[in-house]
Amino acid sequence: MEGSGPRVVAVGAGLAGLGAAQRLRGHGSLRLLEAAARVGGRVCTRPFASGLAEMGAHWIHGPSPGNPVFRLASQYGLLGPEAAREENQQVEGGGHPPLPSVTYGSSGKVLNAQAVREARDLFYALLASTRAFQGSKEPPWPSVGQYVRAEIARTVPTMAGGQEDARRLQLAVLAACLKLECCISGTHSMDLVGLEPFGEYVSLPGLDCTFPGGYSGLAERLLSDLPAGTVLLNKAVRTIRWRGSFREEGDDGGRVFPVRVECEDGDVFLADHVIVTVPLGFLKERHQEFFQPPLPERKAQAIRNLGFGTNNKIFLEFEQPFWEPEQQLLEVVWEDESPLEEPDADLEANWFKKLIGFVVLQPPEQHGHVLCGFIAGKESEHMETLSDAEVLSAMTHVLRTMTGNPDLPAPRSVLRSRWHSAPYTRGSYSYVAVGSSGDDIDVLAQPLPEDPRDPRPLQLLFAGEATHRTFYSTTHGALLSGWREAERLNQLFQAPVPAPQS
């Protein structure tokens, strides 16, 4: 039986939808409609080897008291002892986890650590210098990629003391740094990421940490706190009709609702308010038919302007490790590459060169001997179209090339994410693209109808990582956006109903 208070429907049971449900008060009824067979959205833990594989979100970025995901995970007892240590919460990582690493070159040797460090320090200094252009009316370049490459070109003559071989190596490392940045930004190329707004993204302090029992544990806990029956799984939404007057079937004299949510399976839900938490990738592809009437042009333009790309993972399980116990990150550098030269566009032949390397899953006692590779962009999307055997063969080729060991045993199994192919996601996370700005994020987050005096306010509300101006692309951005929209409704439900105008 539906209550008589305001009726709310949330579309999507990722952290934004679950977060909204957790905080909502004063409603008559609440339903979360989730297209998949599980909650969590882009938080997705799967069993692999002897442990777990995070197919989506991997770390808590900035696990410190200012991070709501960290606070919830601590409260639920989901973190290991390391994460709780005071000093770990104060580390400023700037979004780049400082893992003990080894860097392999395509000549089959471990690269000189000093040379790698010099190139990386230059890259991070250039990246930090992009903050100076925040709010600039005339940034020197439209994109982060163009700016960084122009600055690298300026330093080439003095690089590595002018020694040609050493200079080539540093350029190759810089090309690898740009690929890593593509993974972090969830983009095909840093040439697509806007320079002026880039500095608006905020990194929280704290040494990035993982969930020993899997990130999905957080979504499961949020779900278990909700009344049974709140979340409906395998319930994909086809159309949201708003600004209407809808009655329950057979209830001619009953309540009239402004929104009608129609599902793929024919089910219909009427609501006073709908919180839309679907990924920006889905909105880009489907917003025109998903909303009837279509969204206002300003909102549609924001959806088109903002960036949304793909970052995938490839997990490889080995019988025995070929890496040292203390190594946590194996980086790969193709020594013939340079950020000043166009990358090879032949995806089929060279897709695997976009892979930035592998994180070693810790601890091996739990996970077995597992490497997790990261790859972004069009190459990542091409990888999704290949068979497991083709991916395994390419990864074996990369590792044999890098280690210089043609007899390196192939991995015994492979598992990879396919976020671009996922029909209700269509990629990994958002970025502020060239031609867009933080204002587009705010426009995307604005509820509808736009007129605050509308007698039926807040028919459509918008949450999800892509609606958070400073924490886009993160789980904490998603959770905070869900809380934000719940709070918006809570304030409405508390507000006295305006007296009719005489």
Side-chain angles (χ1 to χ4, degrees):
M1 180 63 197
E2 300 286 5
S4 58
R7 207 181 281 184
V8 182
V9 168
V11 182
L15 290 191
L18 291 168
Q22 180 197 32
R23 287 281 172 109
L24 204 58
R25 302 280 176 272
H27 50 281
S29 75
L30 168 65
R31 286 274 184 281
L32 257 75
L33 309 181
E34 169 53 56
R38 56 171 187 86
V39 295
R42 286 168 274 173
V43 168
C44 174
T45 310
R46 296 253 302 269
F48 180 65
S50 61
L52 301 170
E54 298 291 6
M55 306 304 282
H58 198 104
W59 289 278
I60 299 181
H61 291 298
S64 48
N67 185 326
V69 169
F70 174 72
R71 287 204 309 274
L72 266 188
S74 303
Q75 196 181 310
Y76 288 145
L78 299 174
L79 299 178
E82 281 297 295
R85 291 204 353 233
E86 222 27 68
E87 58 270 34
N88 284 354
Q89 296 176 33
Q90 287 156 7
V91 175
E92 291 286 351
H96 298 88
L99 298 175
S101 65
V102 58
T103 308
Y104 289 101
S106 48
S107 58
K109 293 192 290 287
V110 170
L111 299 180
N112 176 294
Q114 177 63 26
V116 171
R117 195 175 307 113
E118 275 176 35
R120 195 180 289 128
D121 289 349
L122 168 64
F123 184 78
Y124 288 144
L126 292 178
L127 220 49
S129 70
T130 61
R131 290 197 176 270
F133 306 113
Q134 203 182 315
S136 156
K137 290 280 171 277
E138 286 184 16
W141 294 94
S143 73
V144 173
Q146 289 163 299
Y147 166 73
V148 167
R149 285 207 315 276
E151 292 299 304
I152 290 170
R154 279 198 333 164
T155 63
V156 160
T158 57
M159 201 180 273
Q163 291 176 290
E164 185 53 32
D165 284 357
R167 181 160 58 202
R168 282 215 63 81
L169 176 58
Q170 294 213 341
L171 285 169
V173 173
L174 287 162
C177 290
L178 276 166
K179 292 177 202 175
L180 171 58
E181 211 51 42
C182 287
C183 288
I184 292 169
S185 283
T187 183
H188 171 61
S189 163
M190 293 308 290
D191 292 5
L192 302 173
V193 178
L195 176 60
E196 184 277 317
F198 188 61
E200 263 199 276
Y201 176 85
V202 172
S203 290
L204 295 171
L207 201 56
D208 290 1
C209 68
T210 56
F211 286 77
Y215 224 127
S216 285
L218 180 64
E220 307 280 337
R221 284 298 298 262
L222 286 166
L223 172 64
S224 68
D225 286 349
L226 298 176
T230 304
V231 177
L232 302 179
L233 300 174
N234 299 304
K235 194 60 73 180
V237 170
R238 188 176 58 230
T239 312
I240 300 174
R241 301 187 187 278
W242 60 297
R243 296 210 325 228
S245 297
F246 303 106
R247 279 196 172 86
E248 303 281 10
E249 273 182 40
D251 185 5
D252 293 341
R255 279 169 73 180
V256 176
F257 294 92
V259 195
R260 174 183 160 104
V261 179
E262 299 172 1
C263 297
E264 305 262 6
D265 64 6
D267 277 1
V268 169
F269 298 85
L270 303 187
D272 297 294
H273 312 283
V274 174
I275 307 174
V276 180
T277 78
V278 299
L280 176 62
F282 177 84
L283 287 178
K284 279 181 173 290
E285 197 169 77
R286 300 271 296 273
H287 74 89
Q288 276 152 308
E289 62 273 21
F290 196 63
F291 299 97
Q292 295 298 331
L295 297 173
E297 180 49 32
R298 213 163 72 95
K299 175 98 62 181
Q301 192 61 51
I303 290 170
R304 288 193 290 270
N305 286 353
L306 288 166
F308 193 82
T310 306
N311 178 26
N312 275 315
K313 299 178 181 177
I314 304 172
F315 293 91
L316 304 173
E317 181 197 7
F318 292 83
E319 289 281 354
Q320 292 299 327
F322 60 84
W323 55 91
E324 299 300 321
E326 70 280 359
Q327 291 168 348
Q328 293 182 40
L329 176 63
L330 316 181
E331 294 176 294
V332 303
V333 170
W334 296 90
E335 293 169 66
D336 56 348
E337 291 185 348
S338 160
L340 308 180
E341 292 162 23
E342 279 305 301
D344 194 314
D346 184 350
L347 281 185
E348 212 149 318
N350 291 310
W351 67 268
F352 51 81
K353 292 188 175 177
K354 189 70 166 280
L355 184 95
I356 59 112
F358 300 90
V359 168
V360 179
L361 294 198
Q362 299 284 358
E365 299 75 42
Q366 180 189 355
H367 293 286
H369 305 300
V370 177
L371 298 181
C372 170
F374 291 81
I375 183 168
K378 290 192 170 66
E379 294 84 354
S380 186
E381 292 166 13
H382 175 74
M383 180 275 294
E384 296 188 23
T385 67
L386 303 175
S387 69
D388 278 359
E390 287 170 309
V391 173
L392 194 113
S393 161
M395 293 300 100
T396 304
H397 166 68
V398 168
L399 290 169
R400 286 176 178 170
T401 302
M402 294 291 158
T403 57
N405 177 3
D407 303 317
L408 187 82
R412 64 193 279 189
S413 63
V414 62
L415 174 69
R416 70 274 177 46
S417 59
R418 292 191 180 90
W419 288 109
H420 182 68
S421 312
Y424 300 105
T425 316
R426 307 301 281 131
S428 299
Y429 36 82
S430 63
Y431 60 92
V432 185
V434 171
S436 71
S437 73
D439 292 346
D440 286 316
I441 297 177
D442 288 344
V443 168
L444 183 57
Q446 269 314 101
L448 295 174
E450 290 175 305
D451 183 353
R453 293 160 312 189
D454 194 290
R456 299 183 302 173
L458 307 185
Q459 293 175 33
L460 300 183
L461 304 97
F462 295 84
E465 53 84 12
T467 69
H468 198 292
R469 188 162 179 155
T470 56
F471 294 149
Y472 55 86
S473 81
T474 65
T475 54
H476 51 276
L479 184 63
L480 285 167
S481 73
W483 287 356
R484 177 191 70 211
E485 296 313 307
E487 201 40 55
R488 209 189 291 268
L489 285 175
N490 291 345
Q491 289 185 346
L492 176 74
F493 299 159
Q494 286 171 357
V497 177
Q501 302 293 305
S502 54

